[in-house]
Amino acid sequence: MKIMVAYDGSRNAKLCLAQAVEMFRCTQPKLLLVAVAENPRDYTDANEDLFQEEVQELTAALAEAKAFAEAEGCETEVHIAEGDPRKQLLEATRKLAPDLLVMARHSQKPDGGIIAQSLSYFVDELDYMTFGSVSSFLARRAEVPLLIFPSP
């Protein structure tokens, strides 16, 4: 079984990877770890430096994730793409042809009381209505089954 994991090195992505390994260990999956570095909109030297820094961070995060998955007995490949994460992950599902796409739902949930949680909910809904999110974009367009792990 080939399982593509959208991976950005975040806490949620690490938890997602660990859960996917645990859940699908019995199938002896081949994990395809895919990260996307977003291209800067303005190609100044400063932005190019930030972009290269992001690529280096993602490369290191993928290496760490690969080491974890292989220590858990999973065959693993890493892939890094450049561009819009939504479109690049969709394209990766077409190129790599996984049996399943796994990702974590992104969360910016603040710690705090009901007011902070209400504001967070409002911002999340506004973001979904105006821009969408990577997971909702892929849920509408991916041609492979999609498993979205909730953020804790």
Side-chain angles (χ1 to χ4, degrees):
M1 175 177 215
K2 287 193 329 186
I3 300 174
M4 183 175 135
V5 179
Y7 194 82
D8 63 3
S10 67
R11 177 179 175 269
N12 287 349
K14 289 176 183 179
L15 291 171
C16 172
L17 176 60
Q19 289 174 313
V21 166
E22 184 63 30
M23 184 178 286
F24 296 103
R25 181 188 318 273
C26 63
T27 67
Q28 297 179 330
K30 178 176 186 176
L31 297 179
L32 310 169
L33 304 175
V34 180
V36 181
E38 292 187 65
N39 289 326
R41 294 176 192 229
D42 179 13
Y43 289 97
T44 63
D45 287 342
N47 282 343
E48 180 61 26
D49 291 343
L50 288 173
F51 174 72
Q52 291 305 322
E53 184 178 312
E54 180 181 9
V55 169
Q56 290 172 351
E57 288 173 3
L58 286 173
T59 301
L62 285 170
E64 180 182 314
K66 180 180 171 95
F68 165 78
E70 289 178 346
E72 293 292 322
C74 298
E75 181 183 351
T76 309
E77 288 180 10
V78 297
H79 302 270
I80 191 162
E82 298 175 11
D84 180 342
R86 298 169 305 164
K87 294 176 183 176
Q88 293 302 315
L89 289 170
L90 182 61
E91 183 62 25
T93 64
R94 293 176 179 148
K95 284 183 182 177
L96 302 173
D99 299 304
L100 177 68
L101 169 58
V102 175
M103 63 189 314
R105 184 174 61 204
H106 182 66
S107 174
Q108 296 177 336
K109 183 177 179 181
D111 294 329
I114 188 71
I115 294 173
Q117 291 175 4
S118 297
L119 287 173
S120 177
Y121 177 77
F122 174 74
V123 170
D124 287 346
E125 287 301 309
L126 183 61
D127 181 50
Y128 176 80
M129 290 185 300
T130 56
F131 306 109
S133 66
V134 175
S135 58
S136 65
F137 178 89
L138 291 168
R140 293 188 303 269
R141 291 174 178 81
E143 297 172 4
V144 300
L146 172 62
L147 174 60
I148 303 171
F149 284 102
S151 52

